Every structure is written in structure tokens, then in C-alpha cells.
């Protein structure tokens, strides 16, 4: 493997695993005995996640860069 490939694999493994862990933590917010939320909150969270995944996929397809958006429920 060349150096760029090794860097890509190493960083992709770390970042994807870190992201998967964070997604599991978001799932923990579903516990109604610990948290209060609305269906609109849930839709906003998943719309933001799905939107960012779409932007990320397009960056790979287009080899380009997109503007970053920050998430907020309020």
C-alpha cells in the first residue's frame, strides 16, 4: 500500500468507528424515562444526520468540498 492509501485507511477506520459510537450515543437519548423530546425533535435530528451523510457522499462523488452546517434544535 502506498502512504496515501495507508493514511486514508487509518483515518477512515478511526473516524467511522468514532462516528458509529456517537450515533449509538444519540440512540441513548430515546430513553423516555431520562429525556423529554418531541417527534419534531426526532425528525430534526434525523434530517440533520441524513442531510450530512448525503453531503459527505456527494463530496466523495465530486471530489469537492461542501459548506459545513452546524446542528441546533433551537
Amino acid at each position: 500500500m502506498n502512504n496515501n492509501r495507508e493514511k486514508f485507511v487509518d483515518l477512515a477506520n478511526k473516524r467511522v468507528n468514532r462516528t458509529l459510537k456517537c450515533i449509538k450515543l444519540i440512540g441513548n437519548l430515546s430513553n423516555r424515562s431520562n429525556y423529554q423530546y418531541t417527534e419534531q425533535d426526532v425528525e430534526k435530528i434525523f434530517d440533520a444526520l441524513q442531510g450530512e451523510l448525503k453531503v459527505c457522499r456527494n463530496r466523495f462523488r465530486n471530489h469537492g468540498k461542501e459548506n459545513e452546517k452546524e446542528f441546533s434544535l433551537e
Side-chain angles (χ1 to χ4, degrees), residues 8-52:
F8 175 82
V9 170
D10 181 52
L11 289 173
N13 286 336
K14 288 177 184 176
R15 291 176 185 180
V16 170
N17 284 316
R18 185 173 61 230
T19 301
L20 293 174
K21 182 177 180 182
C22 287
I23 291 170
K24 289 177 186 175
L25 291 174
I26 292 169
N28 290 349
L29 294 171
S30 66
N31 186 336
R32 289 255 186 211
S33 63
N34 291 328
Y35 306 106
Q36 181 179 359
Y37 55 88
T38 66
E39 227 12 76
Q40 290 81 11
D41 293 334
V42 174
E43 287 304 310
K44 194 168 183 179
I45 289 168
F46 283 95
D47 286 347
L49 292 170
Q50 289 170 334
E52 194 58 37

